[in-house]
């Protein structure tokens, strides 16, 4: 598989890869066993460039996570390292949400391509990071490129977009829950067949990027996760503080989203963040 650089105009940036199929439209996450803490990428069709074969892991020196104990770390070392999803079957509607941690990404002259989707031969959708902004780039039926961007924030960033095939498709893009930026373009006749997540260019600037909780669907857009909902019950309360305390003191991983301040670690500062939310100080 080959990805062309950002500065080439032709959208045919990927060759087709064969792989195992998943149920189209299902949520794709870095799944794990809560008791054994066995993180896996087996929900993905294939992976490329990971020496140990399973780059997912629990919160620690080699991994960080936003939701649950597991996440994925991808080095930026000049090698293509990515996951592959081949479960889309000529999809005319494709909705995605994932979380990415970019603070350790050193971006030089070449921007980072962290996500791409194609129709089996050429790119339809790309997500770039240029060191300050996250950009959604899409191609219309005439191979013309259209793009919208948001400033990335420190810590975990939520990337969310909704793509469809239509003569006047409204492709919607949001980062961290901001109001959608909309591109109205002709995407008629296009379909999503393959998806890729990781370091795709590849560039060699050093550092790493982390991913977590990738969710793709046919119909509805995935909901935002609640930062600070450590026990995963949908809100923030005293039991979330208890869950984070247990993680800090006992290394018992919280099952929800314990990183309230989204800084990439679970610490007393997340308890302070939760207290502020509960007391409605923010």
């Amino acid at each position: 598989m080959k990805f062309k650089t950002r500065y080439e105009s032709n959208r045919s940036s990927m060759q087709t890869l064969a792989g195992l199929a998943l149920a189209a439209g299902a949520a794709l996450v870095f799944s794990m066993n809560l008791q054994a803490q066995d993180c896996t990428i087996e929900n993905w069709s294939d992976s490329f460039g990971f020496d140990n074969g399973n780059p997912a892991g629990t919160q620690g020196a080699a991994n960080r996570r936003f939701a649950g104990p597991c996440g994925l770390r991808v080095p930026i070392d000049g090698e293509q390292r990515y996951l592959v999803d081949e479960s889309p079957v000529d999809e005319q509607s494709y909705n995605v949400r994932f979380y990415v941690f970019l603070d350790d990404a050193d971006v030089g002259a070449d921007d980072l391509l962290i996500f791409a989707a194609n129709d089996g031969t050429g790119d339809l959708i790309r997500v770039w990071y240029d060191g300050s902004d996250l950009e959604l780039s899409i191609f219309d039926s005439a191979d013309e490129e259209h793009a919208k961007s948001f400033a990335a924030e420190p810590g975990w960033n939520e990337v969310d977009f909704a793509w469809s095939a239509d003569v006047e498709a409204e492709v919607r893009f949001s980062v961290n829950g901001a109001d959608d930026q909309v591109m109205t373009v002709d995407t008629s006749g296009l379909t999503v067949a393959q998806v890729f997540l990781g370091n795709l260019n590849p560039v060699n600037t050093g550092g790493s990027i982390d991913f977590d909780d990738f969710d793709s669907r046919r119909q509805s857009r995935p909901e935002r996760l609640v930062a600070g909902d450590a026990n995963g019950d949908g809100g923030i309360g005293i039991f979330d503080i208890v869950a984070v305390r247990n993680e800090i003191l006992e290394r018992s991983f919280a099952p929800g989203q314990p990183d309230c301040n989204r800084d990439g670690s679970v610490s007393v500062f997340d308890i302070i963040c939760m207290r502020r939310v509960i007391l409605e100080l923010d």
Side-chain angles (χ1 to χ4, degrees):
M1 169 174 285
K2 178 178 180 295
F3 288 80
K4 294 186 178 180
T5 69
R6 181 177 178 79
Y7 306 105
E8 297 183 63
S9 60
N10 191 302
R11 74 181 181 93
S12 298
S13 65
M14 293 183 280
Q15 299 171 355
T16 302
L17 268 185
L20 299 175
L22 301 177
L28 301 173
V29 300
F30 304 112
S31 61
M32 44 74 66
N33 180 293
L34 278 172
Q35 301 303 319
Q37 314 302 337
D38 182 19
C39 301
T40 179
I41 55 171
E42 290 182 358
N43 283 355
W44 292 78
S45 304
D46 206 347
S47 64
F48 183 86
F50 296 108
D51 296 335
N52 64 3
N54 182 34
T58 55
Q59 181 89 32
N63 290 89
R64 59 169 53 91
R65 97 291 194 186
F66 183 75
C70 299
L72 173 77
R73 178 163 295 178
V74 181
I76 308 171
D77 57 0
E79 298 293 330
Q80 289 178 313
R81 304 185 191 279
Y82 54 84
L83 303 180
V84 184
D85 176 24
E86 294 188 326
S87 65
V89 181
D90 296 330
E91 303 294 345
Q92 298 183 46
S93 177
Y94 190 67
N95 305 294
V96 168
R97 184 221 61 216
F98 64 86
Y99 290 82
V100 60
F101 187 94
L102 299 161
D103 290 14
D104 294 338
D106 298 324
V107 179
D110 294 324
D111 300 343
L112 287 172
L113 179 60
I114 63 174
F115 171 93
N118 73 10
D119 58 5
T121 56
D123 289 356
L124 305 179
I125 308 165
R126 293 171 173 173
V127 176
W128 296 91
Y129 176 60
D130 68 2
S132 60
D133 293 344
L134 283 158
E135 177 187 279
L136 179 72
S137 170
I138 63 170
F139 292 85
D140 63 22
S141 298
D143 278 0
E144 295 294 325
E145 187 175 15
H146 308 260
K148 294 286 186 180
S149 65
F150 284 93
E153 297 179 2
W156 285 102
N157 285 266
E158 177 197 49
V159 176
D160 173 11
F161 66 82
W163 178 93
S164 61
D166 202 344
V167 175
E168 293 186 348
E170 291 187 351
V171 179
R172 298 180 175 273
F173 177 47
S174 176
V175 171
N176 297 323
D179 291 342
D180 285 338
Q181 294 197 35
V182 181
M183 291 174 275
T184 303
V185 295
D186 179 4
T187 55
S188 57
L190 303 178
T191 57
V192 171
Q194 296 175 312
V195 175
F196 307 86
L197 184 76
N199 179 16
L200 306 181
N201 298 46
V203 298
N204 186 13
T205 57
S208 61
I209 48 182
D210 294 90
F211 295 94
D212 201 0
D213 214 75
F214 182 96
D215 191 337
S216 67
R217 307 184 184 191
R218 285 193 186 101
Q219 301 299 328
S220 61
R221 293 171 74 173
E223 295 182 358
R224 298 191 71 200
L225 300 179
V226 180
D229 177 19
N231 67 357
D233 67 357
I236 300 178
I238 187 64
F239 294 111
D240 298 298
I241 292 177
V242 172
V244 169
R245 175 187 175 278
N246 289 342
E247 176 160 338
I248 294 170
L249 297 180
E250 303 171 17
R251 301 304 300 164
S252 173
F253 290 110
Q257 295 80 242
D259 192 356
C260 183
N261 63 2
R262 301 188 304 166
D263 68 352
S265 64
V266 179
S267 70
V268 67
F269 295 108
D270 295 301
I271 293 177
I272 294 171
C273 172
M274 293 172 186
R275 285 172 56 89
R276 293 186 63 86
V277 173
I278 293 168
L279 295 174
E280 299 182 346
L281 297 178
D282 291 321

